[in-house]
Amino acid sequence: MANPIMKSMEQTYTLESEPMTIKGAINKTFFLLVCLVIAAFYTWNLAAAGFLDKVGMLTTCGAIIGFVLALFICFTKKAMNILTPLYAVCEGLFIGGVSAVYASQYAGIVMQAVLATFAVLFSMLILFQTRTIQCTEKFRSVIFTATLSVAIIYLIQFIASFWGRGIPQIFTSSAIGIGFSVVVVLIAAFNLIVDFDFIERGEQMMLPKDYEWYGAFGLMVSLVWLYLEILRLLAKVNSRR
């Protein structure tokens, strides 16, 4: 599967309760989005009020704790009804702080990124439901490889930054940098197709109901990534004006 969070699905389960449903996964996704938005609104308001030190702390803690929670959920799949909302809150704190920074530099960029993210979400959903894009094994393999490649590039850039260096061009507002961001946005968008497929197949395979949280969690991971990449892309475009 493309989204590493969704990697382990091909297993056989013995149901001890009712199975997961698409409707249940959608409801839980909506709940996680509400948690994220409330947390993001909190850090955004703190930034607007001038509490920048507190915003910086919450943004950093949200990123680190959210990453740790994501790994724990991915590899253990335990207490998902508790940990996935906590993950959403942490990501909300992180996104609120990051969005405030971008908003201070480019007016209106956050609303543009939010609208673009939901436009991509519904576009991918339509393409998936109409089977315009079919989530085959090859498709999942390609998207997984592309996602992993982007993660490696970001890791190299992060490590190189400690020595004041970085990968040339792709993180700048040059044509190459913008082109790279467009490609990453597309990869993040196609991860949504894989997430939709997981939820649909999860219902067909009658996975345990807790996997509704897992499906919602996978969608959250892809949506957060998509939003951040769109925000970065818009910032690059605006900086050229």
Side-chain angles (χ1 to χ4, degrees):
M1 262 186 206
N3 189 333
I5 302 301
M6 298 297 211
K7 184 87 173 148
S8 55
M9 176 185 173
E10 310 296 338
Q11 303 178 37
T12 301
Y13 297 90
T14 301
L15 283 178
E16 297 179 356
S17 61
E18 58 181 312
M20 74 172 286
T21 63
I22 293 175
K23 182 179 179 181
I26 292 173
N27 290 339
K28 288 175 175 59
T29 301
F30 181 76
F31 174 73
L32 295 182
L33 281 173
V34 171
C35 292
L36 183 146
V37 169
I38 292 174
F41 189 69
Y42 177 67
T43 47
W44 176 279
N45 280 344
L46 285 178
F51 298 104
L52 301 183
D53 290 341
K54 191 172 183 179
V55 170
M57 180 189 69
L58 290 174
T59 301
T60 302
C61 290
I64 295 173
I65 297 174
F67 179 72
V68 172
L69 285 173
L71 290 178
F72 187 84
I73 294 169
C74 178
F75 291 109
T76 68
K77 303 180 184 66
K78 294 180 179 179
M80 290 185 286
N81 60 326
I82 298 174
L83 296 182
T84 51
L86 285 177
Y87 166 80
V89 170
C90 289
E91 289 300 289
L93 295 174
F94 170 65
I95 284 178
V98 171
S99 298
V101 172
Y102 277 101
S104 67
Q105 299 174 354
Y106 309 103
I109 191 174
V110 171
M111 183 55 64
Q112 293 170 11
V114 170
L115 293 175
T117 299
F118 280 99
V120 172
L121 170 64
F122 290 117
S123 297
M124 290 297 107
L125 181 58
I126 291 172
L127 291 174
F128 175 73
Q129 288 185 327
T130 59
R131 296 300 187 264
T132 303
I133 297 179
Q134 297 189 26
C135 192
T136 62
E137 288 297 330
K138 184 177 181 180
F139 179 89
R140 284 192 291 271
S141 177
V142 169
I143 298 304
F144 175 73
T145 301
T147 302
L148 185 60
S149 299
V150 172
I152 292 173
I153 290 173
Y154 281 174
L155 179 61
I156 293 173
Q157 175 68 17
F158 177 73
I159 294 174
S161 67
F162 287 105
W163 287 273
R165 299 181 178 276
I167 302 174
Q169 295 293 322
I170 64 175
F171 291 101
T172 68
S173 58
S174 65
I176 294 175
I178 291 175
F180 173 76
S181 286
V182 170
V183 171
V184 176
V185 167
L186 289 173
I187 294 171
F190 287 134
N191 266 278
L192 292 172
I193 297 291
V194 179
D195 298 332
F196 297 148
D197 180 67
F198 173 88
I199 294 172
E200 181 179 81
R201 291 202 293 157
E203 182 183 70
Q204 294 171 352
M205 296 169 62
M206 300 181 68
L207 297 183
K209 195 165 185 64
D210 279 353
Y211 273 71
E212 292 175 355
W213 287 109
Y214 198 54
F217 169 64
L219 272 176
M220 285 294 302
V221 172
S222 295
L223 283 173
V224 167
W225 181 31
L226 177 64
Y227 168 76
L228 292 173
E229 293 300 340
I230 290 177
L231 198 59
R232 184 177 288 113
L233 173 59
L234 291 174
K236 288 181 179 180
V237 173
N238 277 276
S239 67
R240 291 172 63 92
R241 295 177 180 175

